[in-house]
Amino acid sequence: MDIFLEKDYNTLSAAAAKHLLSLARKKQSPLVCVASGDSPAGLYRELITQQNANETDSWNFVGLDEWQGMNASDEGSCQWHLHQQLFQPLKVDASRICFFDGRAASLEEECQRVDQFISDHGGIDIAVIGLGSNGHIGMNEPQRDPTLTAHIAELAPSTIQTAQKYFKKETTITGGLTLGIASILSAKHIFLIVSGSHKAAIIKQLMESEPTPALPVTWLKNHPNAYLYLDEAAASEWKTSSHA
């Protein structure tokens, strides 16, 4: 895993977007996996700004995860946020977006549909993900099976509590749909975006741990093209301990 330490969130976002674009330009029609959340939002803003005219028109997108019982029509859902942050500004045609529908009649079939979309497009070229405070990536919580692809996810109480910030009023969240660790690790390139002092403790754990199911993000350490972009605030505890 390659580490890119930037001064602040804006610098981090600009550098990650530049790197991502340089990789995407090597393929005619890349499949990009995108996560919602606060951490990647700056990267998306920079991506919109830095891209050449219409160069993302050939990109395809797959969503990393979605809350069970929600889809793009639900304000605060993962897809709703990504439409605001990325898909609408880039004018991405709906045919080039595959996203979990948490309202689908069969969630198992929905997971199969997403897996099939990835397979049909030759696999994920670039994955953009964030990091939960308990080490989860996507909705892959600690101790979950790392061999899973798209699946129905049971969520930790801390994840459900943190999710409330994405909604205007208290919202009941019962579970999620997510690409599994195996799906993420199958990506040719992975961008892990982490910022803020509230992520400093989990970054320290990541840096000091071997790959373990107890800390799902550690599975990225053995990936040949995983890139950790973090700012000084997120790195503060790790930098302090590493120089003690």
Side-chain angles (χ1 to χ4, degrees):
M1 185 169 63
D2 295 329
I3 301 167
F4 298 85
L5 178 59
E6 304 293 343
K7 179 180 179 181
D8 53 35
Y9 180 64
N10 289 336
T11 307
L12 174 162
S13 299
K18 182 179 180 181
H19 186 182
L20 190 155
L21 280 166
S22 71
L23 294 172
R25 285 167 180 150
K26 296 177 181 179
K27 183 160 184 178
Q28 185 175 2
S29 186
L31 176 59
V32 182
C33 172
V34 285
S36 61
D38 296 333
S39 297
L43 184 156
Y44 301 146
R45 286 194 298 269
E46 285 290 335
L47 189 63
I48 293 160
T49 301
Q50 292 185 27
Q51 65 144 350
N52 297 328
N54 303 321
E55 76 169 296
T56 57
D57 283 358
S58 64
W59 294 17
N60 294 291
F61 296 89
V62 61
L64 177 63
D65 49 24
E66 184 57 278
W67 308 113
Q68 193 170 323
M70 299 185 200
N71 58 24
S73 65
D74 296 284
E75 185 172 349
S77 69
C78 299
Q79 189 173 3
W80 185 88
H81 280 292
L82 277 164
H83 271 291
Q84 308 299 312
Q85 297 170 344
L86 186 66
F87 300 145
Q88 288 179 4
L90 287 180
K91 297 180 173 60
V92 181
D93 188 85
S95 65
R96 295 191 287 113
I97 303 170
C98 178
F99 222 101
F100 288 105
D101 182 353
R103 291 179 175 269
S106 171
L107 298 183
E108 289 83 3
E109 290 181 7
E110 189 64 8
C111 292
Q112 294 169 11
R113 181 183 68 85
V114 173
D115 277 340
Q116 189 62 52
F117 181 89
I118 293 171
S119 177
D120 290 346
H121 288 80
I124 298 169
D125 294 292
I126 299 170
V128 178
I129 62 176
L131 174 61
S133 295
N134 67 350
H136 74 241
I137 49 177
M139 294 181 185
N140 297 282
E141 302 283 14
Q143 305 299 350
R144 300 299 190 265
D145 183 355
T147 66
L148 294 175
T149 55
H151 65 281
I152 302 167
E154 182 181 342
L155 303 179
S158 60
T159 300
I160 293 172
Q161 182 178 357
T162 300
Q164 296 300 324
K165 68 181 178 179
Y166 300 117
F167 302 92
K168 291 183 177 179
K169 61 182 181 180
E170 181 131 358
T171 301
T172 299
I173 295 173
T174 58
L177 301 172
T178 188
L179 296 185
I181 296 294
S183 308
I184 295 169
L185 293 179
S186 74
K188 298 175 182 68
H189 301 273
I190 305 171
F191 285 76
L192 176 63
I193 312 297
V194 188
S195 70
S197 58
H198 63 297
K199 295 292 176 69
I202 194 63
I203 283 295
K204 182 174 183 289
Q205 289 183 55
L206 166 61
M207 296 304 188
E208 296 176 354
S209 300
E210 295 297 319
T212 170
L215 208 63
V217 67
T218 55
W219 295 119
L220 300 184
K221 294 184 108 173
N222 290 336
H223 192 282
N225 297 303
Y227 317 113
L228 170 59
Y229 275 86
L230 71 164
D231 57 18
E232 291 185 353
S236 58
E237 291 191 24
W238 165 56
K239 289 178 67 179
T240 300
S241 65
S242 63
H243 293 92

